[in-house]
Amino acid sequence: MSKTAWVTGASSGIGAATALALAEKGYDIAVGCHSEDSITRGGGKVAEDCRAFGVKAECFVGSVEDFDDCAGLVGRIVEQMGGIDLLVNCAGITRDGLIARMSEEQFDQVIDVNLKGAFCAIRHVSPLMMKKRAGKIINIASVIGLGGNAGQANYAASKGGVIAMTKSVAKELGGRGITCNAIAPGFIETKMTAVLPEKAMDAVLSATALGRPGKPEEVAHAVLFLAENDFVTGQVIVVDGGLHI
């Protein structure tokens, strides 16, 4: 019997690469999209490319940061896909700014999507996994959540929270055969990082041991490892090319 993976934020970047990598391994894919527009901008193509591997793949629209909307989203995935065996929390945003000028809205938006969104998804999926006494939860964090970064206090707080939550969830659910881990990417070539000023990009790359940005597919490879491993839990795998050694 095939397994189903729900990948949030799967219309582009790391989420899209993860969905495709899992589809190639035989997982049916629930492509998480924040809006109908995100289906048009990439989610629909991701689902189509996943189906090329002979698996089921459909787009599911919903706001993971909205507790009730997320519950309904999980219900629709289960109804159409038959269950959720693997949750990959990829949905994330940035609203960068120096702390002395950061607005309340900038802070709240990032915390809501990056941290609360991961919580809501885990909260509504974990009872399904507990009932089956099996499941995998993988949270996409960031090296910024480990070491901080000027101009990203909100993002650092959200990703640091994801890492701490990952460890707590691993302790809570381990007895039910469920693993929970985090991946902390460094500088990865995505739409999110493409907007960085050239000077900022150069500074990051000069501090990276491999001297280049990572590819979304390289993060997806780490997801595959965790998806297929039953004895790694509560860990943070850093995929950053040696940015934080």
Side-chain angles (χ1 to χ4, degrees), residues 197-228:
E198 185 176 351
K199 186 176 180 181
M201 288 187 185
D202 290 342
V204 173
L205 294 180
S206 65
T208 301
L210 293 181
R212 66 169 178 86
K215 298 179 175 63
E217 293 77 13
E218 291 173 313
V219 180
H221 292 161
V223 173
L224 291 179
F225 165 73
L226 292 173
E228 297 302 310

Short mmCIF file of all heavy atoms in Angstrom, two decimals, residues 197-228:
data_model
loop_
_atom_site.label_atom_id
_atom_site.label_comp_id
_atom_site.label_asym_id
_atom_site.label_seq_id
_atom_site.Cartn_x
_atom_site.Cartn_y
_atom_site.Cartn_z
N PRO A 197 19.74 41.48 -1.50
CA PRO A 197 20.70 42.33 -2.22
C PRO A 197 21.98 41.55 -2.54
O PRO A 197 22.37 40.64 -1.79
CB PRO A 197 20.98 43.46 -1.22
CG PRO A 197 19.83 43.46 -0.28
CD PRO A 197 19.39 42.03 -0.18
N GLU A 198 22.63 41.91 -3.63
CA GLU A 198 23.83 41.20 -4.06
C GLU A 198 24.91 41.22 -2.99
O GLU A 198 25.62 40.22 -2.78
CB GLU A 198 24.36 41.81 -5.35
CG GLU A 198 25.54 41.06 -5.93
CD GLU A 198 25.99 41.63 -7.26
OE1 GLU A 198 25.28 42.50 -7.82
OE2 GLU A 198 27.05 41.21 -7.75
N LYS A 199 25.03 42.34 -2.29
CA LYS A 199 26.04 42.45 -1.24
C LYS A 199 25.78 41.45 -0.13
O LYS A 199 26.71 40.82 0.40
CB LYS A 199 26.04 43.88 -0.67
CG LYS A 199 27.15 44.14 0.33
CD LYS A 199 27.15 45.60 0.78
CE LYS A 199 28.25 45.87 1.80
NZ LYS A 199 28.24 47.30 2.25
N ALA A 200 24.52 41.27 0.24
CA ALA A 200 24.17 40.31 1.29
C ALA A 200 24.44 38.88 0.83
O ALA A 200 24.94 38.05 1.59
CB ALA A 200 22.71 40.47 1.67
N MET A 201 24.11 38.59 -0.43
CA MET A 201 24.38 37.26 -0.98
C MET A 201 25.87 36.94 -0.96
O MET A 201 26.29 35.85 -0.56
CB MET A 201 23.87 37.17 -2.42
CG MET A 201 22.38 37.12 -2.57
SD MET A 201 21.94 36.80 -4.30
CE MET A 201 20.16 36.93 -4.22
N ASP A 202 26.67 37.91 -1.38
CA ASP A 202 28.12 37.70 -1.42
C ASP A 202 28.68 37.44 -0.02
O ASP A 202 29.58 36.60 0.15
CB ASP A 202 28.81 38.92 -2.03
CG ASP A 202 28.53 39.07 -3.52
OD1 ASP A 202 28.11 38.07 -4.14
OD2 ASP A 202 28.74 40.17 -4.06
N ALA A 203 28.13 38.14 0.96
CA ALA A 203 28.61 37.96 2.33
C ALA A 203 28.31 36.56 2.83
O ALA A 203 29.15 35.92 3.49
CB ALA A 203 27.96 39.00 3.25
N VAL A 204 27.11 36.06 2.53
CA VAL A 204 26.74 34.71 2.95
C VAL A 204 27.60 33.67 2.26
O VAL A 204 28.12 32.73 2.89
CB VAL A 204 25.25 34.44 2.68
CG1 VAL A 204 24.92 32.97 2.97
CG2 VAL A 204 24.37 35.34 3.53
N LEU A 205 27.78 33.81 0.95
CA LEU A 205 28.55 32.82 0.19
C LEU A 205 30.02 32.80 0.59
O LEU A 205 30.65 31.74 0.61
CB LEU A 205 28.41 33.10 -1.30
CG LEU A 205 27.01 32.91 -1.89
CD1 LEU A 205 27.01 33.21 -3.38
CD2 LEU A 205 26.50 31.49 -1.63
N SER A 206 30.56 33.96 0.94
CA SER A 206 31.96 34.01 1.37
C SER A 206 32.16 33.32 2.71
O SER A 206 33.26 32.87 3.02
CB SER A 206 32.44 35.46 1.45
OG SER A 206 31.75 36.16 2.47
N ALA A 207 31.07 33.23 3.49
CA ALA A 207 31.15 32.56 4.80
C ALA A 207 30.81 31.08 4.71
O ALA A 207 30.90 30.36 5.70
CB ALA A 207 30.23 33.26 5.79
N THR A 208 30.41 30.63 3.53
CA THR A 208 30.02 29.23 3.32
C THR A 208 31.23 28.43 2.84
O THR A 208 31.87 28.79 1.86
CB THR A 208 28.88 29.14 2.28
OG1 THR A 208 27.76 29.90 2.75
CG2 THR A 208 28.46 27.70 2.05
N ALA A 209 31.53 27.36 3.56
CA ALA A 209 32.74 26.58 3.25
C ALA A 209 32.77 26.11 1.80
O ALA A 209 33.82 26.13 1.16
CB ALA A 209 32.84 25.39 4.20
N LEU A 210 31.64 25.69 1.27
CA LEU A 210 31.61 25.20 -0.11
C LEU A 210 31.57 26.34 -1.13
O LEU A 210 31.67 26.10 -2.34
CB LEU A 210 30.41 24.27 -0.32
CG LEU A 210 30.47 22.94 0.44
CD1 LEU A 210 29.25 22.08 0.14
CD2 LEU A 210 31.74 22.17 0.10
N GLY A 211 31.36 27.56 -0.66
CA GLY A 211 31.44 28.72 -1.54
C GLY A 211 30.33 28.84 -2.56
O GLY A 211 30.49 29.52 -3.58
N ARG A 212 29.20 28.19 -2.31
CA ARG A 212 28.08 28.27 -3.25
C ARG A 212 26.77 28.11 -2.49
O ARG A 212 26.74 27.59 -1.38
CB ARG A 212 28.17 27.17 -4.31
CG ARG A 212 28.02 25.75 -3.76
CD ARG A 212 27.84 24.73 -4.88
NE ARG A 212 27.73 23.36 -4.39
CZ ARG A 212 26.59 22.80 -3.99
NH1 ARG A 212 25.46 23.49 -3.98
NH2 ARG A 212 26.58 21.54 -3.60
N PRO A 213 25.68 28.56 -3.11
CA PRO A 213 24.38 28.32 -2.48
C PRO A 213 23.95 26.87 -2.66
O PRO A 213 24.44 26.18 -3.57
CB PRO A 213 23.44 29.27 -3.24
CG PRO A 213 24.08 29.41 -4.58
CD PRO A 213 25.57 29.37 -4.34
N GLY A 214 23.06 26.43 -1.82
CA GLY A 214 22.53 25.08 -1.97
C GLY A 214 21.36 25.07 -2.93
O GLY A 214 20.79 26.11 -3.27
N LYS A 215 20.99 23.88 -3.37
CA LYS A 215 19.83 23.71 -4.25
C LYS A 215 18.68 23.11 -3.43
O LYS A 215 18.92 22.33 -2.50
CB LYS A 215 20.18 22.78 -5.41
CG LYS A 215 21.28 23.30 -6.33
CD LYS A 215 21.55 22.30 -7.44
CE LYS A 215 22.57 22.83 -8.45
NZ LYS A 215 23.88 23.08 -7.84
N PRO A 216 17.44 23.45 -3.76
CA PRO A 216 16.30 22.85 -3.04
C PRO A 216 16.36 21.33 -3.02
O PRO A 216 15.98 20.70 -2.02
CB PRO A 216 15.10 23.35 -3.85
CG PRO A 216 15.54 24.66 -4.42
CD PRO A 216 17.00 24.44 -4.77
N GLU A 217 16.85 20.74 -4.11
CA GLU A 217 16.93 19.27 -4.19
C GLU A 217 17.87 18.71 -3.14
O GLU A 217 17.69 17.56 -2.68
CB GLU A 217 17.40 18.85 -5.58
CG GLU A 217 16.41 19.13 -6.70
CD GLU A 217 16.39 20.60 -7.12
OE1 GLU A 217 17.30 21.36 -6.72
OE2 GLU A 217 15.45 20.97 -7.85
N GLU A 218 18.88 19.48 -2.73
CA GLU A 218 19.82 18.99 -1.72
C GLU A 218 19.18 18.96 -0.34
O GLU A 218 19.53 18.11 0.49
CB GLU A 218 21.08 19.87 -1.75
CG GLU A 218 21.88 19.65 -3.03
CD GLU A 218 23.04 20.61 -3.20
OE1 GLU A 218 22.86 21.84 -3.01
OE2 GLU A 218 24.15 20.14 -3.55
N VAL A 219 18.24 19.84 -0.10
CA VAL A 219 17.47 19.77 1.13
C VAL A 219 16.49 18.59 1.06
O VAL A 219 16.30 17.86 2.04
CB VAL A 219 16.70 21.08 1.38
CG1 VAL A 219 15.90 21.01 2.68
CG2 VAL A 219 17.66 22.26 1.43
N ALA A 220 15.89 18.41 -0.11
CA ALA A 220 14.96 17.30 -0.30
C ALA A 220 15.62 15.94 -0.04
O ALA A 220 14.98 15.02 0.47
CB ALA A 220 14.38 17.34 -1.71
N HIS A 221 16.91 15.82 -0.37
CA HIS A 221 17.62 14.57 -0.11
C HIS A 221 17.66 14.27 1.38
O HIS A 221 17.55 13.10 1.80
CB HIS A 221 19.04 14.66 -0.65
CG HIS A 221 19.11 14.72 -2.15
ND1 HIS A 221 20.22 15.17 -2.83
CD2 HIS A 221 18.21 14.39 -3.10
CE1 HIS A 221 19.99 15.12 -4.13
NE2 HIS A 221 18.78 14.66 -4.32
N ALA A 222 17.81 15.31 2.20
CA ALA A 222 17.80 15.11 3.65
C ALA A 222 16.41 14.69 4.13
O ALA A 222 16.27 13.88 5.06
CB ALA A 222 18.25 16.39 4.36
N VAL A 223 15.38 15.24 3.50
CA VAL A 223 14.01 14.83 3.83
C VAL A 223 13.82 13.34 3.56
O VAL A 223 13.24 12.62 4.37
CB VAL A 223 12.98 15.66 3.03
CG1 VAL A 223 11.57 15.10 3.26
CG2 VAL A 223 13.03 17.13 3.44
N LEU A 224 14.32 12.88 2.41
CA LEU A 224 14.20 11.46 2.07
C LEU A 224 14.86 10.57 3.12
O LEU A 224 14.31 9.53 3.49
CB LEU A 224 14.82 11.19 0.70
CG LEU A 224 14.11 11.77 -0.53
CD1 LEU A 224 14.88 11.42 -1.79
CD2 LEU A 224 12.68 11.27 -0.61
N PHE A 225 16.03 10.99 3.59
CA PHE A 225 16.71 10.21 4.61
C PHE A 225 15.85 10.07 5.86
O PHE A 225 15.67 8.96 6.39
CB PHE A 225 18.05 10.87 4.98
CG PHE A 225 18.65 10.34 6.25
CD1 PHE A 225 19.22 9.08 6.29
CD2 PHE A 225 18.63 11.11 7.40
CE1 PHE A 225 19.77 8.58 7.48
CE2 PHE A 225 19.17 10.62 8.59
CZ PHE A 225 19.74 9.36 8.63
N LEU A 226 15.29 11.17 6.31
CA LEU A 226 14.47 11.14 7.53
C LEU A 226 13.15 10.41 7.30
O LEU A 226 12.63 9.75 8.21
CB LEU A 226 14.21 12.56 8.02
CG LEU A 226 15.43 13.31 8.55
CD1 LEU A 226 15.07 14.76 8.85
CD2 LEU A 226 15.99 12.64 9.80
N ALA A 227 12.62 10.51 6.10
CA ALA A 227 11.36 9.84 5.79
C ALA A 227 11.48 8.32 5.84
O ALA A 227 10.51 7.62 6.15
CB ALA A 227 10.86 10.27 4.41
N GLU A 228 12.67 7.83 5.54
CA GLU A 228 12.87 6.38 5.47
C GLU A 228 13.58 5.81 6.69
O GLU A 228 13.82 4.60 6.76
CB GLU A 228 13.67 6.04 4.21
CG GLU A 228 12.94 6.40 2.91
CD GLU A 228 11.60 5.71 2.78
OE1 GLU A 228 11.57 4.48 2.96
OE2 GLU A 228 10.59 6.39 2.51
#
